[in-house]
Amino acid sequence: MVCSPRLAGACPRRRRTERAYGRTVVAVDPAHPKDRGSEQGLAVVALGRIRRELHVLGSEAHRRSIGDFLGRTLDLALQYGASIVVERNSAAGRGRS
């Protein structure tokens, strides 16, 4: 089937991220387990198809339980059709010793 923009309903609608962007990731920065009250961060970042620039589609910081945080991460990954990338050094702003 050939899709034409002039024929309404001829093609399934694609999300904006599928047209304008290439690879999309949900970047996860978990809080250090020993730091009570630390925020956990999420960012949705996509690579532009034409100019190959990075685009931040959204970012959030939370003080939630790990279950709630992981649930939000999965929701974003499904919403954007994204991979999940987790920061693993967990330095929490501290230098390495």
Side-chain angles (χ1 to χ4, degrees):
M1 170 163 103
V2 176
C3 293
S4 169
R6 289 184 264 161
L7 301 174
C11 302
R13 287 187 168 248
R14 295 171 66 187
R15 289 181 291 177
R16 185 175 142 208
T17 54
E18 292 173 349
R19 289 188 307 245
Y21 304 114
R23 183 170 185 214
T24 303
V25 300
V26 176
V28 180
D29 185 7
H32 193 277
K34 292 182 181 177
D35 291 339
R36 287 220 173 266
S38 292
E39 289 187 336
Q40 305 160 110
L42 295 170
V44 181
V45 182
L47 183 61
R49 287 195 184 274
I50 297 171
R51 299 176 110 202
R52 309 292 287 174
E53 297 171 334
L54 291 176
H55 298 265
V56 177
L57 305 179
S59 65
E60 304 173 5
H62 301 280
R63 286 188 179 110
R64 296 182 172 183
S65 71
I66 191 67
D68 289 345
F69 182 67
L70 291 175
R72 180 65 180 144
T73 301
L74 292 174
D75 287 345
L76 288 170
L78 291 172
Q79 177 184 346
Y80 287 95
S83 303
I84 298 172
V85 178
V86 180
E87 186 274 337
R88 67 180 196 152
N89 92 2
S90 240
R94 295 183 294 271
R96 292 184 180 193
S97 48

